[in-house]
């Protein structure tokens, strides 16, 4: 049974006229001697198709096509259905069938509310940020509605479908390879002229498309009115007004998607955008040349391939690489392009842009009546303050200081409650479990190690609260605007600032967010310096050591570490720009979206996502690593067991002859010495002593070296490892043990924190660098260079600390 017919207008129409339509049974009858074409039986007659054409037709065995889909959210209707509310819905209780599966590609400009729409359609919880580059990869969601399962792919935000940025290439390749049934194009209703440019690119593709006029309330607030039905019929694409944050227009939008899938929408038709007589003649000439080719991909129309070849789109060369006549097509396209350029006195890109915007202006002239209210007036007023040349920098620094102060100070209150809870749990389990390895594992290993990381959850949440508010409000884009000149002087691009700022949360999505940077050299430099941005995983280490050795100035130390990371990143970028990469003159073009009030729901959702990620990390990576670290520190039991017992016996004999307080101190010292001897003789002790010569110049012993090694999977493991090696039921006791028994001093603690800040990134970050650069070389460069810089600066800080 045929379940969908892909391809573009003319080809698709011809196929469907031959009987290849959805719901019809078709049988494969016979292969030709060369296995291409293939003879099929359909509607009582035989027809042959090339395999390349048959690939555009998706079929399923009859029984499977009519099989109910399971695990997709229940019945085919939804609670919002009016008939369901009245109890007489004919769909109620039925299941969606496999043949009623619709694949939708969600495409739109950055800041068009695309991800918000995706969240409300699919029930997903992707983070929504009010700046370019939040969606850095495709996300898949699904819902069941009126007998159909709708699979929605949220694609990266993009302004066009050319081959200028990685997002543009990614989106077009998805449309080419996945061949979605319907394209859902989100546009900002109050900014149609700019947003509809991407829509004109989709018109050229000639795919079944629906436009969601998102944020329609902003259009209404401006006093404007839009005849969206007439506009949709004019451009051949149906339009549905929506307000993603409130759910307005979602059901009509889904109904339109189903109509397009079934071929029942009357507004959908193919429209040719006229690019002028010279360009149209060139397109016609090249189309006639390439149309007879059996190798030409059928996903996009012939006109589109001709247009892109004349335009010189480098990505199209890859898509058409299997066509035997590609070389002759490109030669003809080059001649035609030169002829058009000479005739119109303009380059091809400018010519196409002018005609596209002319097409948009003509359509809006007939359907849009502008209101008198400027919806961006409030944003401009705010910008006069936050982007002011005198106040912009001080305000930015003040916001950063407030973020770190709140992270350390306000996060300390709930931190105490969590400490008490884990302390109580450790004492209870110690009393319940029998003496031996199991009790030591549970209390000194799992509870102590996991608890030492879990207590910093409030600090992580406060940090992400500030980042979320900056993203959702639109301030993040202004921060990039403020920092552009400084970034440029350091060898970076203005757009680099957003990934770098995201790096304070986590380096992995920050590196992925560099895809919004058009220049490859600027993008690569940004990727390489992003690990110097101190991610939230390092924060527990700073909070522990800064709170232990600098309790009165912990916030200042914290800010100093973050500033040092930024300084090292900028100096590294400047060095790379002067040596490896040539000077980049890519212009700084970035949308400054209007300010929007962050919603409580979105902010809480973002914080909960990060909280759940942190808790999952604690329950998986950190828990497993803590058990491994404990085992390596517990085994083998020391051969000199008698020597350890003698230490305890001697101490106890002294204890009985002295006052009670002194006795307790001696007993604690004896216990600590016992644990030190056992750890030193364990597997982890041997590993630590092997690398100790490298750590000695920094004032660090073998235990600090082991903590650094264990941080390679996840930076939070530094605290877990220190809790296992130094002992401590809570942060207070751990801090006390570090001061009394670790050998760390304030200057060696500073060196330790600097080393943690700068050295070897976590495995996830290195894997992302490998993925985004496509090279093992840059991954190893990052690992080695960052470690070398970390050691040198930590050593210098230790020496400098000796002067004070």
């Amino acid at each position: 049974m045929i379940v969908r017919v892909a391809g573009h207008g003319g080809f698709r129409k011809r196929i469907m006229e031959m009987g290849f339509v959805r719901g019809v049974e078709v049988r494969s009858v016979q292969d030709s001697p060369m296995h291409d074409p293939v003879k099929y039986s359909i509607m009582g007659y035989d027809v042959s198709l090339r395999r390349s054409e048959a690939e555009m037709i998706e079929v399923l065995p009859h029984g499977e096509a009519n099989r109910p889909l399971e695990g997709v959210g229940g019945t085919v209707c939804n609670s919002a259905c009016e008939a369901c509310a009245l109890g007489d819905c004919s769909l109620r209780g039925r299941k969606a069938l496999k043949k009623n599966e619709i694949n939708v590609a969600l495409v739109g400009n950055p800041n068009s509310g695309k991800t918000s729409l995706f969240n409300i359609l699919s029930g997903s919880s992707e983070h929504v940020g009010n700046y370019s580059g939040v969606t850095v990869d495709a996300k898949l969601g699904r819902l069941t509605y009126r007998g159909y399962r709708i699979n929605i792919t949220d694609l990266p935000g993009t302004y066009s479908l050319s081959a200028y940025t990685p997002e543009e290439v990614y989106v077009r390749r998805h449309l080419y390879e996945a061949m979605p049934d319907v394209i859902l194009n989100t546009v900002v209703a109050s900014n149609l002229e700019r947003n509809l440019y991407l829509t004109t690119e989709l018109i050229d593709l000639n795919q079944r498309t629906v436009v969601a006029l998102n944020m329609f309330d902003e259009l209404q607030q401006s006093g404007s009115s839009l005849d969206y039905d007439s506009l949709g019929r004019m451009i051949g694409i149906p339009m549905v007004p929506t307000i993603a944050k409130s759910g307005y227009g979602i059901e009509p939008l889904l109904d339109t998607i189903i109509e397009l899938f079934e071929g029942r929408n009357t507004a959908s038709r193919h429209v040719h955008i006229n690019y002028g007589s010279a360009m149209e003649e060139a397109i016609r000439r090249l189309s006639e040349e390439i149309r007879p080719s059996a190798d030409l991909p059928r996903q996009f129309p012939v006109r589109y391939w001709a247009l892109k070849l004349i335009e010189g789109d480098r990505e199209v060369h890859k898509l058409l690489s299997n066509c035997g006549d590609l070389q002759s097509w490109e030669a003809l396209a080059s001649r035609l392009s030169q002829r058009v350029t000479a005739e119109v006195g303009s380059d091809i890109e400018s010519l196409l842009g002018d005609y596209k915007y002319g097409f948009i202006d003509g359509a809006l002239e007939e359907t849009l009546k502008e209101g008198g209210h400027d919806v961006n007036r409030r944003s401009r007023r705010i910008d006069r303050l936050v982007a002011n040349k005198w106040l912009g920098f001080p305000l930015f620094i003040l916001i950063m200081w407030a973020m770190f102060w709140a992270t350390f100070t306000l996060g300390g209150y709930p931190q105490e409650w969590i400490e008490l809870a884990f302390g109580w749990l450790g004492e209870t389990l110690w009393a319940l479990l029998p003496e031996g390895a199991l009790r030591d594992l549970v209390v000194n290993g799992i509870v102590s190690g996991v608890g030492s990381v879990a207590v910093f959850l409030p600090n992580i949440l406060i940090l992400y609260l500030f980042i979320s508010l900056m993203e959702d409000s639109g301030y993040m884009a202004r921060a990039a605007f403020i920092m552009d000149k400084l970034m440029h002087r350091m060898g970076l691009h203005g757009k680099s600032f957003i990934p770098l700022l995201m790096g304070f949360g986590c380096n992995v999505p920050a590196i992925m967010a560099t895809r919004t940077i058009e220049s490859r050299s600027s993008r690569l430099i940004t990727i390489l310096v992003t690990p110097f941005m101190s991610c939230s995983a390092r924060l527990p280490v700073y909070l522990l050591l800064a709170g232990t050795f600098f309790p009165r100035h912990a916030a200042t130390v914290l800010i100093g570490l973050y500033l040092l990371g930024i300084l090292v990143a900028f100096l590294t970028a400047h060095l790379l720009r002067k040596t490896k990469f040539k000077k980049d003159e890519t212009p700084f073009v970035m949308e400054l979206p209007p300010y929007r009030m962050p919603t409580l729901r979105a902010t809480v959702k973002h914080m909960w996502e990060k909280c759940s990620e942190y808790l999952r990390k604690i329950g998986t990576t950190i828990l497993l690593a803590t058990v491994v670290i404990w085992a390596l520190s517990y085994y083998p039991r020391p051969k000199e067991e008698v020597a350890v017992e003698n230490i305890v016996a001697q101490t106890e004999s002294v204890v009985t002859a002295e006052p009670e307080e002194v006795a307790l101190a001696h007993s604690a010292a004896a216990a600590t010495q016992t644990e030190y001897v056992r750890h030193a003789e364990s597997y982890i002790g041997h590993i630590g002593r092997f690398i100790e010569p490298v750590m000695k110049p920094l004032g660090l012993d073998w235990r600090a070296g082991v903590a650094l090694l264990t941080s390679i999977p996840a930076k939070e493991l530094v605290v877990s490892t220190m809790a296992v090696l130094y002992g401590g039921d809570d942060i207070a006791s751990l801090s006390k043990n570090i001061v009394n028994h670790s050998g760390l001093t304030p200057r060696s603690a500073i060196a330790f924190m600097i080393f943690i800040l700068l050295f070897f990134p976590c495995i996830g970050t290195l894997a992302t660098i490998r993925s985004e650069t496509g090279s093992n070389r840059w991954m190893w460069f990052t690992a080695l260079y960052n470690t070398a810089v970390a050691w040198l600066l930590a050593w210098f800080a230790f020496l400098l600390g000796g002067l004070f």
Side-chain angles (χ1 to χ4, degrees), residues 58 64 163 215 242 270 322 557 589 624 641 656 660 704 725 802:
E58 185 177 341
E64 186 177 348
M215 307 178 199
T242 61
H270 181 46
N322 292 328
V557 171
V589 181
L624 177 62
E641 194 70 39
T656 56
E660 185 177 346
L725 294 180

Side-chain angles (χ1 to χ4, degrees), residues 355-370:
Y355 275 98
K356 284 180 186 293
Y357 278 116
F359 175 82
I360 295 168
D361 289 341
L364 294 179
E365 184 72 26
E366 299 290 328
T367 55
L368 177 66
K369 291 183 179 179
E370 295 280 2

Side-chain angles (χ1 to χ4, degrees), residues 194-264:
R194 204 283 316 283
N195 277 247
L196 286 176
Y197 186 88
L198 178 59
T199 309
T200 64
E201 302 254 291
L202 297 174
I203 289 173
D204 286 335
L205 287 180
N206 192 14
Q207 307 291 309
R208 286 169 291 182
T209 304
V210 56
V211 166
L213 295 167
N214 205 20
M215 307 178 199
F216 198 73
D217 53 333
E218 293 185 2
L219 174 76
Q220 294 171 325
Q221 290 167 10
S222 70
S224 302
S225 63
L226 175 69
D227 186 353
Y228 52 84
D229 283 330
S230 297
L231 179 60
R233 293 182 185 279
M234 195 177 296
I235 68 174
I237 295 177
M239 296 189 166
V240 180
T242 61
I243 305 173
K245 64 182 180 182
S246 67
Y248 173 81
I250 297 303
E251 281 205 25
L253 181 63
L254 292 172
D255 291 337
T256 305
I257 289 172
I258 293 171
E259 288 176 2
L260 286 168
F261 179 68
E262 296 286 2
R264 295 187 277 106

Side-chain angles (χ1 to χ4, degrees), residues 658-679:
E658 302 207 9
E660 185 177 346
E661 291 183 4
V662 178
L664 289 173
H666 278 267
S667 180
T672 302
Q673 180 64 21
T674 301
E675 286 302 306
Y676 179 84
V677 172
R678 286 174 175 166
H679 289 152

Side-chain angles (χ1 to χ4, degrees), residues 6 108-109 219 260 302 312 366 392 459 528 573 663 776 780 784:
N109 289 177
L219 174 76
L260 286 168
V302 173
E366 299 290 328
N459 309 95
L528 296 178
N776 287 320
W780 288 114
L784 298 175

